[in-house]
């Protein structure tokens, strides 16, 4: 991520309420202006990377919403990292983002499509970080024809219809001037080539579907629904172009012992009426195993015990959240005659000191979320 952390809207020169089309137009204009192949300015490369990074964030609804709410810090805590692009030309750049060559010239090598995968882990795995194999089906370059689509040894010629451009242009004139209409060449479907003998393995597609499993390192502290991008592991591009990316969505199974709120964990512990009145030592579950807690005599329902540093680790940060244990006092729902008599006898011996006024239940509940 750029060290100066400039405002992404400022980088692209668009207002914060700019729509998708405005953002795309601004990116195209700046990319043409600042690409190192075009610009001779000494800071062109750094500014170009800023523009690419800004577009990468603002062009996706998920990262744009995160940036709008929390800025650069929110992107970091959300696990976002800008891609590292190595584009040989502007054509490759636009192909990577838009799947097409937007600046003209010969037929573009289309970037491979992205694909989505999903992996499910336990909360304990999310706390420690874990490596998981993620299976998915992906289009890979045909090894028989090396992705060319032509049978080895056969000829590949220039498309006679479009002259290798992959596009056909039609010029029409009107009182308003000339209008140029561009369309994909129907003869070669935009490749600019004509294959005399299609590959016998892939039938000229240049790609085959393959079952693949990738090992994914899931960082400690990841949140449910966050995505991990595996750059260049998606579907193979056409004519040897860059492959797409794989976006692995991480799902965290609910843990009946805990409720997660950011990096904090919430749990409950049940004390009987007599335990709450007389005090008790109880063991409560934590991510690191059971911890023994001492509850003083007179513990009230709604009391919150905070276990510092027993929550989730901060994603790409330092330290851990806390675990907040909420006390629930169990009141008998069925009493026999002897139990009722003993409670009634106890009630005759109480005075104003027995039930000392304490912090209200709702105040205790509020403190649990502070």
């Amino acid at each position: 991520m750029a060290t100066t952390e400039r405002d992404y809207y400022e980088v692209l020169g668009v207002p914060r309420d700019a729509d998708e089309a405005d953002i795309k137009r601004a990116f195209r204009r700046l990319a043409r202006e600042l690409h190192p192949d075009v610009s001779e300015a000494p800071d062109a490369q750094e500014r170009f990377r800023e523009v690419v990074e800004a577009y990468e964030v603002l062009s996706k609804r998920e990262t744009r919403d995160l940036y709008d709410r929390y800025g650069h810090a929110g992107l970091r805590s959300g696990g976002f990292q800008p891609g590292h692009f190595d584009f040989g030309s502007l054509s490759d750049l636009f192909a990577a983002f838009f799947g097409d060559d937007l600046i003209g010239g010969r037929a573009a090598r289309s970037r491979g499509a992205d694909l989505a995968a999903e992996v499910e882990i336990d909360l304990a795995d999310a706390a420690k970080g874990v490596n998981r194999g993620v299976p998915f089906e992906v289009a890979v370059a045909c090894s028989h024809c090396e992705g060319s689509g032509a049978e080895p040894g056969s000829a590949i010629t220039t498309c006679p219809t479009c002259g290798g451009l992959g596009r056909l242009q039609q010029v029409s004139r009107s009182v308003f001037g000339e209008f140029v209409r561009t369309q994909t060449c129907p003869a070669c479907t935009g490749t600019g080539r004509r294959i005399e003998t299609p590959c016998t393995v892939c039938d000229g597609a240049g790609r085959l579907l393959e079952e693949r499993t990738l090992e994914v390192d899931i960082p400690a502290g990841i949140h449910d629904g966050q995505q991990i991008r595996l750059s260049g592991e998606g579907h193979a591009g056409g004519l040897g172009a860059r492959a797409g990316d794989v976006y692995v969505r991480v799902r965290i199974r609910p843990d009946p012992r805990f409720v997660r709120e950011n990096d904090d964990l919430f749990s409950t512990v049940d004390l009987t009426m007599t335990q709450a009145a007389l005090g008790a030592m109880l063991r409560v579950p934590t991510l690191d195993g059971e911890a023994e807690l001492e509850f003083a005599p007179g513990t009230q329902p709604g009391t919150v015990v905070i276990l510092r540093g027993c929550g989730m680790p901060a994603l790409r940060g330092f330290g851990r959240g806390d675990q907040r244990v909420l006390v629930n006092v169990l009141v008998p729902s069925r009493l026999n005659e002897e139990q009722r008599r003993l409670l009634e006898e106890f009630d005759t011996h109480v005075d104003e000191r027995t039930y000392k006024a304490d912090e209200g239940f709702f105040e205790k509940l509020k403190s649990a979320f502070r």
Side-chain angles (χ1 to χ4, degrees):
M1 207 174 281
T3 55
T4 55
E5 293 195 345
R6 288 180 58 200
D7 181 80
Y8 286 141
Y9 292 97
E10 178 186 321
V11 169
L12 292 182
V14 296
R16 299 190 77 84
D17 59 354
D19 60 22
E20 183 179 343
D22 291 335
I23 290 173
K24 186 178 291 187
R25 277 195 295 270
F27 171 68
R28 289 173 176 170
R29 175 178 56 79
L30 290 170
R32 289 189 181 99
E33 176 186 328
L34 297 173
H35 193 281
D37 286 353
V38 178
S39 176
E40 297 181 358
D43 62 343
Q45 183 170 348
E46 181 59 33
R47 291 178 61 198
F48 175 73
R49 289 188 179 279
E50 278 188 341
V51 167
V52 172
E53 181 179 321
Y55 181 76
E56 190 180 7
V57 171
L58 299 183
S59 63
K60 298 182 179 70
R61 173 54 53 190
E62 180 182 342
T63 50
R64 183 177 180 179
D65 288 346
L66 192 63
Y67 177 70
D68 286 345
R69 293 180 65 186
Y70 304 111
H72 291 276
L75 292 173
R76 286 193 295 270
S77 65
F80 169 80
Q81 285 194 340
H84 300 285
F85 299 99
D86 181 18
F87 299 109
S89 67
L90 274 174
S91 297
D92 291 338
L93 171 69
F94 286 122
F97 279 111
F98 308 116
D100 204 357
D101 176 13
L102 302 180
I103 61 172
R106 296 185 64 82
R109 301 175 302 156
S110 58
R111 172 185 179 271
D114 296 334
L115 62 86
E118 190 169 288
V119 63
E120 193 174 47
I121 62 174
D122 294 324
L123 182 66
D125 292 329
K128 300 173 185 175
V130 68
N131 181 278
R132 282 283 186 272
V134 180
F136 55 90
E137 192 176 62
V138 63
V140 299
C142 173
S143 59
H144 183 66
C145 66
E146 298 182 342
S148 69
E151 185 67 18
S154 65
I156 300 177
T157 60
T158 299
C159 174
T161 303
C162 64
L165 293 176
R167 289 172 174 76
L168 297 176
Q169 289 187 339
Q170 182 179 6
V171 180
S172 59
R173 294 177 175 84
S174 71
V175 293
F176 300 105
E178 289 188 349
F179 292 90
V180 179
R181 180 174 176 269
T182 302
Q183 66 180 36
T184 301
C185 175
C188 64
T189 64
T191 64
R193 310 177 311 153
R194 184 170 69 177
I195 297 174
E196 302 294 339
T197 307
C199 172
T200 55
V201 175
C202 65
D203 293 327
R207 288 173 283 187
L208 295 169
L209 286 178
E210 178 182 282
E211 288 287 339
R212 181 183 293 179
T213 298
L214 284 179
E215 296 295 319
V216 179
D217 288 321
I218 302 173
I222 195 165
H223 293 257
D224 180 60
Q226 286 188 314
Q227 294 186 123
I228 298 172
R229 185 177 68 177
L230 305 177
S231 182
E233 298 291 350
H235 293 304
L239 305 179
R242 177 181 178 273
D245 302 330
V246 176
Y247 289 87
V248 180
R249 184 177 297 275
V250 178
R251 289 297 183 188
I252 300 176
R253 299 184 189 96
D255 191 314
R257 303 171 299 169
F258 307 108
V259 173
R260 181 180 183 180
E261 181 70 26
N262 296 322
D263 293 334
D264 290 339
L265 295 176
F266 295 82
S267 62
T268 61
V269 61
D270 292 333
L271 272 65
T272 65
M273 183 178 67
T274 52
Q275 286 175 326
L278 302 176
M281 292 283 292
L282 293 177
R283 301 183 72 82
V284 298
T286 72
L287 287 174
D288 303 314
E290 290 192 334
E292 195 167 55
L293 292 183
E294 181 177 1
F295 297 91
T299 296
Q300 300 296 305
T303 297
V304 177
V305 179
I306 300 178
L307 302 177
R308 300 291 182 190
C310 288
M312 296 291 289
L315 181 65
R316 305 190 188 283
F318 300 96
R320 292 176 61 174
D322 302 325
Q323 180 176 338
R324 300 171 186 267
V325 183
L326 181 67
V327 173
N328 178 42
V329 176
L330 302 175
V331 178
S333 58
R334 294 182 182 85
L335 296 173
N336 59 34
E337 289 300 322
E338 179 63 14
Q339 292 167 334
R340 180 177 294 276
R341 184 189 66 78
L342 290 172
L343 283 176
E344 289 174 346
E345 182 179 347
F346 166 78
D347 197 47
T348 63
H349 292 82
V350 302
D351 56 28
E352 66 275 4
R353 295 173 300 175
T354 305
Y355 294 104
K356 180 183 177 182
D358 200 356
E359 184 182 28
F361 171 77
F362 288 106
E363 290 301 317
K364 291 188 178 74
L365 197 60
K366 288 177 185 177
S367 69
F369 292 90
R370 291 172 188 159

